[in-house]
Amino acid sequence: MSRRPLVGVICCTRIPEDPVQGVAERYLRAAPFMGADFVLVPSMPEISNAASILSRLDGILLTGSPSNVAPHLYRSAEAGDGPFDPRRDETAFRLISESVEQDRPVLGICRGFQEVAVAYGATLRRDLGQAERAQIHHTPPGRSMVEMFALEHRVDLASGGILERALGKPSIVVNSAHFQGVNDLGSKLAVEATSADGVVEGIRPASGERILAVQWHPEWRVADNPTSRELFAWFGLLLKGASMREAADLVAEKAALA
């Protein structure tokens, strides 16, 4: 039997009274579209070693989460809006750093997007769910999961970028379920996607590491979404050693033949 790539999926700490390491199942359902196997990576830096973990993996998936990145990590003196998960913060940043050292691809989603952004020097904002915004990015609290992910908007893909190259179109419609997002991008990241109100929704390192992150949730009902399937197929090719552009061209070619 041929070996499939192995992806480490970061966990979150849940239930503080009796901590549990967990991942929402919808992220794990992306595995077949990557052609990969998944293992869970606990956010327990006190007992785990990122270098050792990465040496046995082909890539990392940084998932979304109910928790937010701690503000002090992006140089904010404000208290911020919880809940927070400091062990997830530490684990994510160690995994990102070690992925660069060992040339392992990383795909970040929602909180994972924000972790990649902060790891490369960006700062975050926390006002994207406010009702008075012309375009809100999160439904009001108390809505069901279906209602939350039903909120959609267009994102424009950067001309000549990886996402435009892979998906073969200048813009796509995505779900929107984030209160936080990038404030100041800094100088170390390239923009891959932007919403109509100017919020950065897709990023990659300008220095060329095989890391890409999106603010939306491609894992939501992935089987019903061709664009999400193509994104995960693209990442699956990175897991097998392709470059960002090579993988994008292969996905685009396959879509054109379908």
Side-chain angles (χ1 to χ4, degrees):
M1 182 180 296
S2 60
R3 175 188 178 275
R4 297 195 296 188
L6 187 62
V7 177
V9 184
I10 194 169
C11 292
C12 295
T13 306
R14 309 286 178 96
I15 315 175
E17 300 80 13
D18 185 15
V20 171
Q21 294 293 311
V23 176
E25 283 191 8
R26 65 179 187 272
Y27 295 100
L28 306 181
R29 297 190 188 282
F33 303 101
M34 295 182 190
D37 293 317
F38 281 0
V39 293
L40 304 190
V41 178
S43 287
M44 300 178 68
E46 68 274 16
I47 65 165
S48 56
N49 181 283
S52 177
I53 291 169
L54 261 296
S55 70
R56 285 171 271 182
L57 298 176
D58 297 294
I60 288 290
L61 177 62
L62 300 175
T63 66
S65 171
S67 66
N68 292 324
V69 176
H72 72 87
L73 294 170
Y74 48 92
R75 306 176 304 284
S76 173
E78 297 181 14
D81 304 309
F84 299 116
D85 186 349
R87 294 197 296 172
R88 158 90 189 230
D89 290 338
E90 185 174 349
T91 300
F93 293 131
R94 287 185 181 183
L95 290 174
I96 292 168
S97 176
E98 196 58 43
S99 292
V100 173
E101 289 294 320
Q102 298 191 34
D103 187 26
R104 299 292 195 271
V106 176
L107 179 61
I109 295 173
C110 199
R111 189 195 210 273
F113 167 95
Q114 294 163 18
E115 289 164 342
V116 169
V118 172
Y120 279 84
T123 62
L124 303 181
R125 57 192 293 182
R126 298 186 289 276
D127 63 339
L128 298 178
Q130 292 180 356
E132 62 270 21
R133 289 180 58 85
Q135 178 176 305
I136 62 169
H137 289 257
H138 198 295
T139 56
R143 302 294 177 91
S144 69
M145 292 286 288
V146 172
E147 290 174 309
M148 183 173 72
F149 285 113
L151 180 63
E152 295 180 329
H153 63 70
R154 186 188 85 244
V155 296
D156 296 317
L157 306 181
S159 178
I162 296 299
L163 288 176
E164 186 200 47
R165 196 173 183 124
L167 303 178
K169 57 190 73 172
S171 64
I172 58 175
V173 175
V174 301
N175 53 43
S176 190
H178 59 109
F179 293 106
Q180 299 199 140
V182 166
N183 183 30
D184 177 12
L185 192 67
S187 62
K188 297 181 180 179
L189 292 165
V191 175
E192 280 286 326
T194 310
S195 63
D197 61 345
V199 173
V200 175
E201 299 260 354
I203 54 174
R204 60 178 169 83
S207 47
E209 291 90 356
R210 293 189 299 155
I211 298 173
L212 186 137
V214 297
Q215 186 63 82
W216 64 91
H217 287 266
E219 86 289 350
W220 177 253
R221 295 182 171 173
V222 57
D224 301 325
N225 190 318
T227 299
S228 295
R229 296 199 303 268
E230 290 172 1
L231 176 60
F232 287 125
W234 170 83
F235 189 67
L237 293 171
L238 262 64
L239 298 171
K240 297 176 181 178
S243 72
M244 305 264 275
R245 291 189 178 275
E246 288 170 344
D249 290 343
L250 288 169
V251 168
E253 288 171 11
K254 185 175 180 180
L257 294 172

